[in-house]
Amino acid sequence: IFFRSSTMASCVQLMFPVVVVLIAMFLGIGHESQYVFDPVKLKGISEKAIAAHAGNVTALKDHVVLQLREAYPQYITKEPEWMFNNAGGAMGAMLVLHASLSEYVIIFGTAVGTEGHSGRFLADDYFTILHGEQWAFKAGSMEKQVFTPGMQHLMARYEAKQYRMPDECWALEYARGNIVSMLPFGVADCFTSTFDLWTLWKTVSV
């Protein structure tokens, strides 16, 4: 019994500093000094792409990626890959252009429409529509919000909404804050419904 108690005490002593460090890291993620991207600038890039290629989704995507590379040459992934994303009951595809502990930049959307829960996070999410429409509403609201190309939908931290893309819709999405806090929501559907381990692997490895 003494041996077991001693071993348990040693484990607690070893784990305590690890837990403290992890908590400190978690709370220390997502502060203004850690941000590289500017949501106003990203909206401007989106608006220029829409003005040049409205209705042509492929050209819109290429234009946005090119402009991001010029604006943030050190921070945009050289060879981004498309992957599915299932979260909050909604399904779409995303092209991950930047991912860090405090920010991510992706092109997200669907060619067939989707609907789900936005999630509630320790991060702000700026969703700039490139093509199509996004609808959203908060509990207690009797009317939907409608976001069309060029509009930027801010999902403020701690806030949750139901959202819908009624048909084809694509957007430039930028999240800033504690991105680690968003990961469980982003991968939970892989364990509870889709069991798409390939997508899970691509998501966590990016």
Side-chain angles (χ1 to χ4, degrees):
I1 295 175
F2 175 78
F3 177 75
R4 289 180 180 178
S5 300
S6 178
T7 302
M8 186 175 295
S10 297
C11 289
V12 171
Q13 290 176 347
L14 289 172
M15 289 300 296
F16 181 74
V18 174
V19 171
V20 170
V21 170
L22 289 174
I23 292 174
M25 288 177 62
F26 186 80
L27 295 177
I29 295 170
H31 297 285
E32 195 69 34
S33 61
Q34 299 169 342
Y35 301 146
V36 172
F37 296 88
D38 177 7
V40 175
K41 192 170 186 177
L42 297 184
K43 186 176 186 293
I45 288 174
S46 299
E47 291 171 337
K48 289 180 181 178
I50 293 165
H53 307 287
N56 187 331
V57 177
T58 300
L60 276 168
K61 181 264 295 181
D62 291 341
H63 187 113
V64 167
V65 173
L66 179 63
Q67 293 299 307
L68 286 172
R69 288 195 194 286
E70 292 181 359
Y72 303 97
Q74 298 179 337
Y75 299 99
I76 301 301
T77 304
K78 291 182 179 179
E79 296 182 1
E81 295 184 24
W82 285 101
M83 65 188 77
F84 278 129
N85 176 255
N86 292 81
M91 181 175 183
M94 62 181 180
L95 185 69
V96 181
L97 302 173
H98 174 84
S100 68
L101 296 177
S102 57
E103 296 174 294
Y104 73 69
V105 179
I106 65 175
I107 292 177
F108 176 82
T110 172
V112 298
T114 192
E115 177 180 15
H117 190 290
S118 67
R120 196 185 298 271
F121 308 115
L122 302 174
D124 296 313
D125 189 282
Y126 299 83
F127 202 80
T128 307
I129 306 299
L130 299 172
H131 177 80
E133 288 188 2
Q134 185 198 44
W135 302 349
F137 98 107
K138 294 193 292 186
S141 174
M142 297 296 108
E143 297 182 1
K144 67 184 177 186
Q145 298 172 290
V146 179
F147 299 91
T148 57
M151 297 178 70
Q152 189 174 75
H153 180 191
L154 170 60
M155 280 289 303
R157 63 187 65 200
Y158 313 126
E159 186 176 76
K161 295 182 182 181
Q162 177 188 3
Y163 77 93
R164 182 182 182 191
M165 296 171 168
D167 202 340
E168 182 180 16
C169 181
W170 300 94
L172 177 64
E173 182 177 358
Y174 167 55
R176 55 160 51 180
N178 194 314
I179 302 304
V180 177
S181 71
M182 304 176 78
L183 288 176
F185 176 81
V187 301
D189 280 16
C190 288
F191 297 103
T192 60
S193 61
T194 68
F195 299 101
D196 185 354
L197 299 181
W198 174 245
T199 292
L200 175 63
W201 167 249
K202 292 185 73 173
T203 300
V204 298
S205 64
V206 74

